[in-house]
Amino acid sequence: MSSGEWKNKIYFGDNLRVLREHIPDESVDLIYLDPPFKSDATYNVLFKEYNGTPSAAQITAFEDTWHWGEESESAYHEIVTRGPKRVADLVQALRNFLGTNDMMAYLTMMAIRLVEIHRVLKPTGTVYLHCDPTASHYLKILMDAVFGPGKFVNDIVWQRINAKGHSFTRFPSNHDNILRYAKSGKWVWNPQYVGHSPEYIQKFYRYVEPETGRRYSLADLTSPNKNRPNLTYEFLGVTRVWRWTKEKMQEAYKKGLIVQSAPGKVPRLKRYLDEQEGTSVGDTWTDIKPIQSHAKERLPYPTQKPEALLERIIRASSNEGDLVLDPFCGCGTTIVVAERLQRRWIGIDITHIAITLMKHRLAAFGSSLSPYEVIGLPQDLASARALLNEPDGRYQFQMWALGLVDARPAQDTKKGADAGIDGYIYFFDDESGKPKKIVVQVKSGHVSVAQIRDLKGVMEREKAVIGCFITLEEPTRPMKEEALSAGFYEPAFLGGKYPRLQILTISELLAGKKLEFPRVAEATFQKAKPQRKRTVIEQPLISDRG
C-alpha cells in the first residue's frame, strides 16, 4: 500500500496472530517492544490496572506465557519443528538448561514472536527490545539466534532512578536494558546529541563575545600534516602549515572568526557554542528520567515510559514517513511520539483498557491527527455478545463498552463492589477550572427500572451532572421514563441542554450515536496535554558495519 493510501493502525488482539495475519514481510522500519514479564516477588510485573492492582484481563491473556503448560509446549513444538534452525537449536538447549519453568515459558513466548518481528522488519530496519536484567541475558542470546550474532548493535543501559534505600545483600537495581539489533549490516541512523554540561562549557567555552554574549572556544588552525607545501604560508605575521588555503583563511578573518591574541601569536579559530551539536549520546542513558508523579505527561498507567525515551529511539533509527511498530503498545507512548514526529505507526495490544487510553491520547492532536483505524474490536452485536464468552468476558465487555464513550475505568471490578460506578468522564464547560463529572454504568445482562433508580442515587452521591447507562439489552419503557424524569443539565456558560440520565444501547453506540454533553475540553482519564507535530530536518544516514 502506498504512503498516500496509508492509515495508521491500532490492533486489538494477540500480537502473534496480528503479526502473522496483518503485517507483510519487510514492511516495518523500526520496532520497539517492551514485553510483559511475569512476576512473583522476584520478577517485574509490567502490566497493572489504574489502581495499581494486576490486570485481570492481562493475567488471563498471558497466564500461559508465564507458566509452562499446553500453550508453552505447543509454541515450543512449533519453534523446534518449523522455526529457523539456529532458533530451534537454542530453544532446545535452553529447555535442557532451564527445564520447563516460568522463565522457559516466557522465553518460548518471546522466541516465536521475535521470529515474526524479524520477518516484518525491513533490511535497513532496527529493533529495540526493552527488558530488565532479570531476563536480558537470555533475551540477548535469543536475539542473537533470531537476527544473527553479527546483527547486535547496542546494549543500552537506561538508568530509570537513582539508587535508593539500603541493600544488605546486593547493589540496588536502578536500570533497564534496551537491546538494539539490526536486520542487516546497513541501517537507518541519525546521530543523537545532548547539550554540554555546565562544567564542560565553563572549561572549554570560557570566552564570551562582549557585543553578542555568545560563548566560544579557540581551536587550532594548523595542520597536523607538516609536509604540505601548498598550505605553508605567512598569515598575520606567522608562518605555519595551515589547515585551510590562504583565501579561506582571509575570508574567515574578515568575518571575525579568527582571533590573534597579540602580534606574533598563532591565530586561532572561534568555535561558537550555539553552533555545536553537543555531546554524542552513548549507550548509557542517565539524562532521561522516569515519569514523576507531578509530570504533565503522566497518566494513571504504572508502566508508562517517558516520551523522551521513545523520541530518542524513533529519531535515531527512523526518518519522517517511516513505519514504526510497537507490538506490546500498552498506553501508547510509542504511537503518540511516532505521530508527533510524523512517522507512520502500528500499535498492538491485548486489553481494551489500553486501546481506550491510546485513542484518548491520540485525540490530543486534534485536527492534525493522521487518519487511523482500530482493528479487532467488536463491530456488531454478534461480536459484542461473543466477547462475553471469552475468559473474564464480563470484565472485557465492560472495558470495551467504556471505550465506546471514552470513559475512564473506575476500578478493577474483580476486586470487590463497584459502588455503582464502572467509569468516569470529566469535562469542562465554564471558566472555573473545575471539571464536571459524568458517571457511567455498563450492563451486559438483564436490565430493569431499578437499575436506573440506583444510578440516579449514585449521581447524587457522586455530585455528577450527567449519568450514562450503557446496556447490551434493549431498555424497557419504564426505564426510559425513569431516565427522562431526571431532567436536563443546562450549563450556564455555554448554554444548551443535555439529558441528565442517558440510556445508550450497544447497538446505538456501534451505529455512531454519541453521549450528549458539552464537548469543549474533555478530561477523560486525565486531561492530556495538547500534542503538536514537529517538522524536523533529518538526514537519512546508512551505517555499514562491514
Short mmCIF file of all heavy atoms in Angstrom, two decimals, residues 405-453:
data_model
loop_
_atom_site.label_atom_id
_atom_site.label_comp_id
_atom_site.label_asym_id
_atom_site.label_seq_id
_atom_site.Cartn_x
_atom_site.Cartn_y
_atom_site.Cartn_z
N VAL A 405 -17.46 5.23 24.82
CA VAL A 405 -17.79 6.62 25.20
C VAL A 405 -16.58 7.34 25.78
O VAL A 405 -16.70 8.41 26.39
CB VAL A 405 -18.96 6.65 26.22
CG1 VAL A 405 -20.25 6.15 25.58
CG2 VAL A 405 -18.63 5.84 27.48
N ASP A 406 -15.38 6.75 25.60
CA ASP A 406 -14.13 7.35 26.09
C ASP A 406 -14.16 7.60 27.59
O ASP A 406 -13.73 8.65 28.08
CB ASP A 406 -13.82 8.66 25.36
CG ASP A 406 -13.46 8.44 23.92
OD1 ASP A 406 -12.93 7.35 23.61
OD2 ASP A 406 -13.72 9.33 23.09
N ALA A 407 -14.67 6.62 28.34
CA ALA A 407 -14.76 6.76 29.79
C ALA A 407 -13.56 6.11 30.46
O ALA A 407 -13.04 5.09 29.99
CB ALA A 407 -16.05 6.14 30.32
N ARG A 408 -13.15 6.67 31.57
CA ARG A 408 -12.07 6.10 32.37
C ARG A 408 -12.62 5.02 33.29
O ARG A 408 -13.59 5.25 34.01
CB ARG A 408 -11.44 7.21 33.21
CG ARG A 408 -10.48 6.68 34.27
CD ARG A 408 -9.96 7.81 35.13
NE ARG A 408 -9.13 7.31 36.20
CZ ARG A 408 -8.45 8.07 37.04
NH1 ARG A 408 -8.53 9.38 36.93
NH2 ARG A 408 -7.71 7.56 38.00
N PRO A 409 -12.02 3.83 33.29
CA PRO A 409 -12.48 2.77 34.20
C PRO A 409 -12.38 3.23 35.66
O PRO A 409 -11.38 3.81 36.06
CB PRO A 409 -11.54 1.61 33.91
CG PRO A 409 -11.03 1.88 32.53
CD PRO A 409 -10.95 3.36 32.41
N ALA A 410 -13.41 2.92 36.43
CA ALA A 410 -13.43 3.38 37.82
C ALA A 410 -12.52 2.55 38.69
O ALA A 410 -11.88 3.06 39.60
CB ALA A 410 -14.86 3.33 38.36
N GLN A 411 -12.46 1.23 38.43
CA GLN A 411 -11.64 0.35 39.26
C GLN A 411 -11.60 -1.02 38.64
O GLN A 411 -12.28 -1.29 37.65
CB GLN A 411 -12.22 0.25 40.67
CG GLN A 411 -13.62 -0.38 40.72
CD GLN A 411 -14.16 -0.45 42.13
OE1 GLN A 411 -13.89 0.39 42.94
NE2 GLN A 411 -14.94 -1.48 42.39
N ASP A 412 -10.78 -1.89 39.21
CA ASP A 412 -10.76 -3.28 38.79
C ASP A 412 -11.96 -3.96 39.45
O ASP A 412 -12.00 -4.18 40.65
CB ASP A 412 -9.46 -3.95 39.27
CG ASP A 412 -9.34 -5.38 38.78
OD1 ASP A 412 -10.36 -5.95 38.35
OD2 ASP A 412 -8.23 -5.92 38.84
N THR A 413 -12.97 -4.28 38.63
CA THR A 413 -14.21 -4.79 39.19
C THR A 413 -14.05 -6.16 39.81
O THR A 413 -14.95 -6.63 40.50
CB THR A 413 -15.29 -4.86 38.11
OG1 THR A 413 -14.81 -5.67 37.04
CG2 THR A 413 -15.61 -3.48 37.58
N LYS A 414 -12.95 -6.84 39.58
CA LYS A 414 -12.77 -8.15 40.21
C LYS A 414 -12.34 -8.04 41.66
O LYS A 414 -12.23 -9.02 42.36
CB LYS A 414 -11.73 -8.96 39.43
CG LYS A 414 -12.17 -9.32 38.01
CD LYS A 414 -11.11 -10.13 37.31
CE LYS A 414 -11.07 -11.55 37.81
NZ LYS A 414 -12.30 -12.30 37.54
N LYS A 415 -12.08 -6.80 42.10
CA LYS A 415 -11.54 -6.63 43.45
C LYS A 415 -12.61 -6.27 44.48
O LYS A 415 -12.30 -5.92 45.59
CB LYS A 415 -10.46 -5.54 43.43
CG LYS A 415 -9.28 -5.91 42.54
CD LYS A 415 -8.64 -7.21 42.99
CE LYS A 415 -7.53 -7.62 42.04
NZ LYS A 415 -6.92 -8.88 42.41
N GLY A 416 -13.88 -6.31 44.08
CA GLY A 416 -14.90 -6.03 45.07
C GLY A 416 -16.03 -5.24 44.47
O GLY A 416 -16.14 -5.05 43.25
N ALA A 417 -16.93 -4.74 45.31
CA ALA A 417 -18.09 -4.00 44.86
C ALA A 417 -17.67 -2.75 44.10
O ALA A 417 -16.71 -2.09 44.47
CB ALA A 417 -18.96 -3.62 46.06
N ASP A 418 -18.43 -2.42 43.04
CA ASP A 418 -18.06 -1.28 42.22
C ASP A 418 -18.76 0.00 42.65
O ASP A 418 -18.62 1.03 42.00
CB ASP A 418 -18.34 -1.56 40.75
CG ASP A 418 -19.82 -1.85 40.47
OD1 ASP A 418 -20.65 -1.63 41.37
OD2 ASP A 418 -20.13 -2.28 39.34
N ALA A 419 -19.54 -0.03 43.72
CA ALA A 419 -20.23 1.16 44.25
C ALA A 419 -21.12 1.80 43.19
O ALA A 419 -21.39 2.99 43.23
CB ALA A 419 -19.22 2.17 44.79
N GLY A 420 -21.58 1.01 42.23
CA GLY A 420 -22.49 1.52 41.22
C GLY A 420 -21.84 2.32 40.12
O GLY A 420 -22.52 2.95 39.33
N ILE A 421 -20.50 2.31 40.04
CA ILE A 421 -19.80 3.10 39.04
C ILE A 421 -18.81 2.20 38.31
O ILE A 421 -17.96 1.56 38.93
CB ILE A 421 -19.02 4.28 39.67
CG1 ILE A 421 -19.96 5.13 40.53
CG2 ILE A 421 -18.36 5.13 38.60
CD1 ILE A 421 -19.22 6.14 41.38
N ASP A 422 -18.92 2.17 36.99
CA ASP A 422 -17.94 1.43 36.19
C ASP A 422 -16.93 2.36 35.54
O ASP A 422 -15.80 1.95 35.26
CB ASP A 422 -18.66 0.63 35.10
CG ASP A 422 -19.56 -0.45 35.69
OD1 ASP A 422 -19.15 -1.08 36.69
OD2 ASP A 422 -20.67 -0.65 35.17
N GLY A 423 -17.32 3.60 35.29
CA GLY A 423 -16.40 4.53 34.65
C GLY A 423 -16.78 5.98 34.90
O GLY A 423 -17.87 6.28 35.39
N TYR A 424 -15.81 6.86 34.61
CA TYR A 424 -16.00 8.29 34.75
C TYR A 424 -15.66 9.00 33.45
O TYR A 424 -14.81 8.54 32.68
CB TYR A 424 -15.05 8.87 35.81
CG TYR A 424 -15.33 8.47 37.24
CD1 TYR A 424 -14.58 7.48 37.86
CD2 TYR A 424 -16.31 9.12 37.97
CE1 TYR A 424 -14.80 7.12 39.18
CE2 TYR A 424 -16.54 8.77 39.30
CZ TYR A 424 -15.78 7.77 39.90
OH TYR A 424 -16.01 7.44 41.21
N ILE A 425 -16.28 10.13 33.24
CA ILE A 425 -15.85 11.09 32.23
C ILE A 425 -15.83 12.45 32.92
O ILE A 425 -16.75 12.79 33.66
CB ILE A 425 -16.79 11.14 31.01
CG1 ILE A 425 -16.83 9.79 30.30
CG2 ILE A 425 -16.39 12.24 30.04
CD1 ILE A 425 -17.90 9.70 29.22
N TYR A 426 -14.77 13.22 32.69
CA TYR A 426 -14.70 14.59 33.19
C TYR A 426 -14.67 15.54 32.02
O TYR A 426 -14.04 15.26 30.99
CB TYR A 426 -13.46 14.79 34.06
CG TYR A 426 -13.48 14.01 35.35
CD1 TYR A 426 -12.78 12.82 35.48
CD2 TYR A 426 -14.21 14.47 36.44
CE1 TYR A 426 -12.80 12.10 36.66
CE2 TYR A 426 -14.25 13.76 37.62
CZ TYR A 426 -13.54 12.57 37.74
OH TYR A 426 -13.57 11.86 38.90
N PHE A 427 -15.33 16.69 32.15
CA PHE A 427 -15.32 17.69 31.09
C PHE A 427 -15.40 19.08 31.73
O PHE A 427 -15.76 19.25 32.89
CB PHE A 427 -16.46 17.47 30.11
CG PHE A 427 -17.84 17.68 30.70
CD1 PHE A 427 -18.47 18.92 30.60
CD2 PHE A 427 -18.50 16.66 31.35
CE1 PHE A 427 -19.74 19.13 31.14
CE2 PHE A 427 -19.76 16.85 31.90
CZ PHE A 427 -20.39 18.09 31.79
N PHE A 428 -15.04 20.08 30.93
CA PHE A 428 -15.08 21.47 31.36
C PHE A 428 -16.10 22.23 30.51
O PHE A 428 -16.10 22.09 29.28
CB PHE A 428 -13.71 22.13 31.23
CG PHE A 428 -12.65 21.52 32.10
CD1 PHE A 428 -11.91 20.43 31.66
CD2 PHE A 428 -12.40 22.02 33.38
CE1 PHE A 428 -10.93 19.86 32.47
CE2 PHE A 428 -11.44 21.44 34.19
CZ PHE A 428 -10.70 20.36 33.73
N ASP A 429 -16.94 23.02 31.14
CA ASP A 429 -17.90 23.81 30.37
C ASP A 429 -18.02 25.25 30.88
O ASP A 429 -18.98 25.95 30.56
CB ASP A 429 -19.28 23.14 30.37
CG ASP A 429 -19.88 23.01 31.77
OD1 ASP A 429 -19.26 23.49 32.73
OD2 ASP A 429 -20.98 22.43 31.88
N ASP A 430 -17.04 25.66 31.69
CA ASP A 430 -17.02 27.06 32.12
C ASP A 430 -15.58 27.46 32.38
O ASP A 430 -14.65 26.71 32.07
CB ASP A 430 -17.89 27.27 33.37
CG ASP A 430 -17.48 26.39 34.54
OD1 ASP A 430 -16.26 26.09 34.67
OD2 ASP A 430 -18.35 25.97 35.33
N GLU A 431 -15.37 28.64 32.93
CA GLU A 431 -14.02 29.15 33.15
C GLU A 431 -13.54 28.98 34.58
O GLU A 431 -12.55 29.58 34.99
CB GLU A 431 -13.96 30.63 32.74
CG GLU A 431 -14.22 30.85 31.26
CD GLU A 431 -14.13 32.31 30.87
OE1 GLU A 431 -14.45 33.16 31.72
OE2 GLU A 431 -13.74 32.59 29.72
N SER A 432 -14.24 28.16 35.37
CA SER A 432 -13.86 27.98 36.77
C SER A 432 -12.61 27.13 36.93
O SER A 432 -11.94 27.17 37.97
CB SER A 432 -15.02 27.33 37.54
OG SER A 432 -15.19 25.98 37.12
N GLY A 433 -12.29 26.33 35.92
CA GLY A 433 -11.16 25.41 36.02
C GLY A 433 -11.50 24.12 36.74
O GLY A 433 -10.64 23.25 36.89
N LYS A 434 -12.75 23.98 37.19
CA LYS A 434 -13.18 22.78 37.89
C LYS A 434 -13.95 21.88 36.92
O LYS A 434 -14.92 22.33 36.30
CB LYS A 434 -14.06 23.14 39.08
CG LYS A 434 -13.33 23.94 40.15
CD LYS A 434 -14.26 24.26 41.32
CE LYS A 434 -13.51 25.05 42.40
NZ LYS A 434 -14.41 25.38 43.54
N PRO A 435 -13.55 20.62 36.79
CA PRO A 435 -14.23 19.74 35.83
C PRO A 435 -15.58 19.29 36.37
O PRO A 435 -15.81 19.17 37.57
CB PRO A 435 -13.28 18.56 35.70
CG PRO A 435 -12.56 18.51 37.01
CD PRO A 435 -12.42 19.94 37.45
N LYS A 436 -16.49 19.02 35.44
CA LYS A 436 -17.76 18.39 35.76
C LYS A 436 -17.61 16.88 35.55
O LYS A 436 -16.78 16.43 34.77
CB LYS A 436 -18.86 18.94 34.87
CG LYS A 436 -19.04 20.45 34.93
CD LYS A 436 -19.42 20.92 36.31
CE LYS A 436 -19.93 22.37 36.30
NZ LYS A 436 -19.04 23.33 35.67
N LYS A 437 -18.46 16.12 36.26
CA LYS A 437 -18.31 14.67 36.26
C LYS A 437 -19.51 13.98 35.62
O LYS A 437 -20.66 14.39 35.83
CB LYS A 437 -18.14 14.17 37.70
CG LYS A 437 -17.94 12.65 37.82
CD LYS A 437 -18.05 12.18 39.26
CE LYS A 437 -16.96 12.72 40.14
NZ LYS A 437 -17.04 12.13 41.52
N ILE A 438 -19.23 12.93 34.85
CA ILE A 438 -20.23 12.01 34.34
C ILE A 438 -19.91 10.63 34.90
O ILE A 438 -18.75 10.20 34.85
CB ILE A 438 -20.23 11.94 32.80
CG1 ILE A 438 -20.52 13.32 32.20
CG2 ILE A 438 -21.23 10.91 32.29
CD1 ILE A 438 -20.36 13.36 30.68
N VAL A 439 -20.90 9.94 35.45
CA VAL A 439 -20.68 8.57 35.91
C VAL A 439 -21.29 7.61 34.90
O VAL A 439 -22.33 7.90 34.29
CB VAL A 439 -21.27 8.33 37.31
CG1 VAL A 439 -20.50 9.11 38.37
CG2 VAL A 439 -22.75 8.67 37.36
N VAL A 440 -20.63 6.48 34.71
CA VAL A 440 -21.04 5.53 33.68
C VAL A 440 -21.23 4.15 34.31
O VAL A 440 -20.39 3.69 35.09
CB VAL A 440 -19.98 5.44 32.56
CG1 VAL A 440 -20.46 4.50 31.45
CG2 VAL A 440 -19.67 6.82 31.99
N GLN A 441 -22.34 3.51 33.94
CA GLN A 441 -22.58 2.11 34.29
C GLN A 441 -22.69 1.30 33.02
O GLN A 441 -23.23 1.77 32.01
CB GLN A 441 -23.87 1.95 35.11
CG GLN A 441 -23.76 2.32 36.56
CD GLN A 441 -25.02 1.95 37.34
OE1 GLN A 441 -25.97 1.42 36.78
NE2 GLN A 441 -25.02 2.26 38.63
N VAL A 442 -22.18 0.06 33.06
CA VAL A 442 -22.27 -0.84 31.92
C VAL A 442 -22.98 -2.12 32.36
O VAL A 442 -22.60 -2.72 33.37
CB VAL A 442 -20.87 -1.19 31.37
CG1 VAL A 442 -20.98 -2.19 30.21
CG2 VAL A 442 -20.14 0.07 30.91
N LYS A 443 -23.98 -2.53 31.60
CA LYS A 443 -24.72 -3.75 31.91
C LYS A 443 -24.72 -4.65 30.68
O LYS A 443 -25.09 -4.23 29.58
CB LYS A 443 -26.16 -3.44 32.31
CG LYS A 443 -26.27 -2.55 33.55
CD LYS A 443 -25.69 -3.21 34.80
CE LYS A 443 -25.82 -2.30 36.01
NZ LYS A 443 -25.17 -2.89 37.20
N SER A 444 -24.29 -5.90 30.87
CA SER A 444 -24.25 -6.84 29.75
C SER A 444 -25.33 -7.91 29.84
O SER A 444 -25.40 -8.79 28.98
CB SER A 444 -22.87 -7.52 29.69
OG SER A 444 -22.59 -8.16 30.93
N GLY A 445 -26.17 -7.84 30.88
CA GLY A 445 -27.21 -8.84 31.07
C GLY A 445 -28.57 -8.20 31.20
O GLY A 445 -28.85 -7.15 30.62
N HIS A 446 -29.44 -8.82 31.98
CA HIS A 446 -30.81 -8.33 32.17
C HIS A 446 -30.79 -6.95 32.81
O HIS A 446 -30.00 -6.67 33.71
CB HIS A 446 -31.59 -9.31 33.06
CG HIS A 446 -32.95 -8.83 33.41
ND1 HIS A 446 -33.99 -8.81 32.50
CD2 HIS A 446 -33.45 -8.30 34.58
CE1 HIS A 446 -35.07 -8.31 33.09
NE2 HIS A 446 -34.76 -8.01 34.35
N VAL A 447 -31.68 -6.07 32.33
CA VAL A 447 -31.77 -4.72 32.88
C VAL A 447 -33.20 -4.43 33.32
O VAL A 447 -34.15 -5.03 32.81
CB VAL A 447 -31.32 -3.66 31.84
CG1 VAL A 447 -29.82 -3.74 31.61
CG2 VAL A 447 -32.06 -3.81 30.52
N SER A 448 -33.31 -3.49 34.30
CA SER A 448 -34.63 -3.16 34.84
C SER A 448 -34.66 -1.71 35.29
O SER A 448 -33.62 -1.06 35.41
CB SER A 448 -34.97 -4.09 36.02
OG SER A 448 -34.11 -3.79 37.11
N VAL A 449 -35.85 -1.22 35.58
CA VAL A 449 -36.01 0.17 36.01
C VAL A 449 -35.31 0.41 37.35
O VAL A 449 -34.88 1.54 37.64
CB VAL A 449 -37.51 0.52 36.09
CG1 VAL A 449 -38.20 -0.25 37.22
CG2 VAL A 449 -37.71 2.03 36.26
N ALA A 450 -35.17 -0.62 38.17
CA ALA A 450 -34.50 -0.45 39.46
C ALA A 450 -33.05 0.01 39.28
O ALA A 450 -32.52 0.78 40.08
CB ALA A 450 -34.55 -1.75 40.26
N GLN A 451 -32.42 -0.43 38.23
CA GLN A 451 -31.03 -0.03 37.98
C GLN A 451 -30.94 1.45 37.61
O GLN A 451 -29.95 2.12 37.94
CB GLN A 451 -30.44 -0.91 36.86
CG GLN A 451 -30.30 -2.37 37.27
CD GLN A 451 -30.05 -3.29 36.09
OE1 GLN A 451 -30.45 -3.00 34.97
NE2 GLN A 451 -29.40 -4.43 36.35
N ILE A 452 -31.93 1.97 36.93
CA ILE A 452 -31.95 3.40 36.60
C ILE A 452 -32.15 4.22 37.87
O ILE A 452 -31.50 5.26 38.06
CB ILE A 452 -33.05 3.71 35.56
CG1 ILE A 452 -32.84 2.88 34.29
CG2 ILE A 452 -33.08 5.20 35.23
CD1 ILE A 452 -31.52 3.15 33.61
N ARG A 453 -33.04 3.78 38.75
CA ARG A 453 -33.23 4.48 40.03
C ARG A 453 -31.94 4.46 40.83
O ARG A 453 -31.56 5.46 41.46
CB ARG A 453 -34.36 3.83 40.83
CG ARG A 453 -35.72 3.91 40.17
CD ARG A 453 -36.83 3.54 41.16
NE ARG A 453 -38.11 3.40 40.48
CZ ARG A 453 -38.70 2.25 40.19
NH1 ARG A 453 -38.12 1.10 40.54
NH2 ARG A 453 -39.87 2.22 39.58
#
